[in-house]
Amino acid sequence: MYKFLEAIVADHMTRPVKSVSREMTMRELEDQFERDDYNAYPVLEDSRAIGLVTKYDFLNCFAFHPTQMLPHYDDLMNRTVGDIMTPDFIYVHADTKLTRVLQLMVEHQTRSIPVLDADRKLEGIISREDVIKALASFTKVK
């Protein structure tokens, strides 16, 4: 267990990472979510992360209030990732401790966090599953 306290993201993150562009339509995003069974994608522009789009962001487009006029389904599905992405997102670096990642995931109830370098270039992604595997690997009796 104590080895987990020293573990860093670089040794446990997932690579390569699938990403999307801000021009991708909601329809294309829906297909990609279904095909990959991911919960989030980094949004890249010129090889740099400019946002994060999640299944929550996708579903939020369909959450309406009684006072709102319901847009046509095709109009919603033709919106782009750039319209719905979260531009201010949590990210970590490869040398971030897994204990910090765990803290961020719990505090922000997030399933995965992009791993960026100093120039905001995508290096990987760290998911809850990656953290759980790391915890398990350090707690197994040898």
Side-chain angles (χ1 to χ4, degrees):
M1 181 63 177
Y2 294 109
K3 288 185 179 186
F4 179 78
L5 299 176
E6 297 303 317
I8 60 171
V9 168
D11 297 329
H12 300 281
M13 68 183 176
T14 299
R15 305 178 252 216
V17 181
K18 291 188 179 185
S19 61
V20 297
S21 73
R22 70 181 329 143
E23 292 82 23
M24 178 181 269
T25 66
M26 294 269 292
R27 193 175 310 279
E28 294 167 325
L29 180 63
E30 179 184 38
D31 290 343
Q32 192 157 334
F33 274 134
E34 188 174 321
R35 183 175 50 253
D36 297 333
D37 194 31
Y38 288 0
N39 288 297
Y41 293 103
V43 182
L44 300 186
E45 188 172 90
D46 298 324
S47 301
R48 288 185 169 70
I50 59 165
L52 187 70
V53 65
T54 66
K55 285 183 177 177
Y56 176 81
D57 296 323
F58 181 90
L59 292 173
N60 192 39
C61 292
F62 297 93
F64 297 101
H65 303 285
T67 58
Q68 286 180 311
M69 205 167 140
L70 184 64
H72 191 271
Y73 178 78
D74 285 335
D75 292 339
L76 285 173
M77 294 305 282
N78 287 326
R79 292 180 72 191
T80 66
V81 166
D83 295 330
I84 68 164
M85 71 179 190
T86 303
D88 299 319
F89 59 98
I90 298 166
Y91 62 91
V92 295
H93 299 289
D95 62 352
T96 303
K97 300 267 191 212
L98 285 185
T99 52
R100 177 66 179 142
V101 171
L102 184 56
Q103 179 186 21
L104 289 168
M105 287 180 168
V106 170
E107 282 178 15
H108 299 279
Q109 298 181 350
T110 186
R111 293 177 177 224
S112 55
I113 300 175
V115 182
L116 307 182
D117 70 11
D119 294 323
R120 289 184 71 108
K121 289 195 176 181
L122 187 63
E123 293 188 312
I125 198 158
I126 187 87
S127 68
R128 289 188 307 191
E129 290 78 11
D130 296 328
V131 175
I132 289 169
K133 285 179 191 172
L135 271 168
S137 72
F138 291 120
T139 58
K140 288 183 180 170
V141 178
K142 296 185 183 189

